[in-house]
Amino acid sequence: MDFPRPPDDGITPLGIPGTLECPLCRLPLELAWAGAAQVLLCRRCRGILIPMASFSRAITYLRSTASDPPVAPPPMNREDLHRHIACPRCGRQMDVHPYGGPGNIVIDNCPHCRLNWLDSGEFFRVVRAPGKDRRRARE
Ligand SMILES: [Zn+2]
Ligand SMILES: [Zn+2]
């Protein structure tokens, strides 16, 4: 499991272009399905835009119903804390902070639009990270 980008990162594009652009690539984001939530996906960098409420709901659901073994996440990339991107919806600079949940990810969010931006692979890194809230195999 050392692939930098697994062939299937769990995000399925739905082939429907949205109206917002990737804050990094400036390409149109497409509607996509991330296991339990609709998101907007950049096909080039595989980053996703997801409403904050959907994000927490989907993470709670996917972790509590997980049947695959947990995967210990790599350490947080602290350089990500110094990157600033513009909200694809309102154009304001997004807040950047370490995600309070599992996965050691840095999250960008727009408090005005209540949107999160996650880089490639980060969504399922959170889903797969070990933790008490993750379903355990029955004994
Ligand atoms: Zn992109
Ligand atoms: Zn915004």
Side-chain angles (χ1 to χ4, degrees), residues 1-9 45-46 74 119-122 125:
M1 301 296 252
D2 286 333
F3 303 111
R5 197 176 97 189
D8 178 6
D9 62 5
C45 69
R46 304 294 296 187
D119 291 318
S120 170
E122 289 184 332
R125 195 162 133 186

Side-chain angles (χ1 to χ4, degrees), residues 36 52-62:
M52 289 180 195
S54 310
F55 176 71
S56 49
R57 203 164 48 229
I59 292 297
T60 301
Y61 173 76
L62 290 170

Side-chain angles (χ1 to χ4, degrees), residues 22 24-25 42 45:
C22 174
L24 302 169
C25 310
C42 175
C45 69

Side-chain angles (χ1 to χ4, degrees), residues 14-93:
L14 300 175
I16 304 165
T19 54
L20 303 178
E21 287 184 349
C22 174
L24 302 169
C25 310
R26 302 279 161 212
L27 294 172
L29 297 169
E30 287 180 34
L31 284 179
W33 183 248
Q38 190 174 284
V39 301
L40 287 169
L41 167 75
C42 175
R43 286 249 208 174
R44 182 195 273 173
C45 69
R46 304 294 296 187
I48 59 169
L49 190 69
I50 179 169
M52 289 180 195
S54 310
F55 176 71
S56 49
R57 203 164 48 229
I59 292 297
T60 301
Y61 173 76
L62 290 170
R63 288 180 58 77
S64 65
T65 57
S67 56
D68 52 338
V71 179
M76 183 179 301
N77 182 0
R78 304 212 144 258
E79 285 176 21
D80 285 353
L81 292 168
H82 304 294
R83 184 189 70 177
H84 293 289
I85 59 176
C87 172
R89 179 162 287 157
C90 72
R92 287 185 243 217
Q93 184 173 292

Side-chain angles (χ1 to χ4, degrees), residues 101-113:
N104 298 338
I105 68 163
V106 170
I107 215 162
D108 298 273
N109 76 279
C110 177
H112 308 284
C113 304

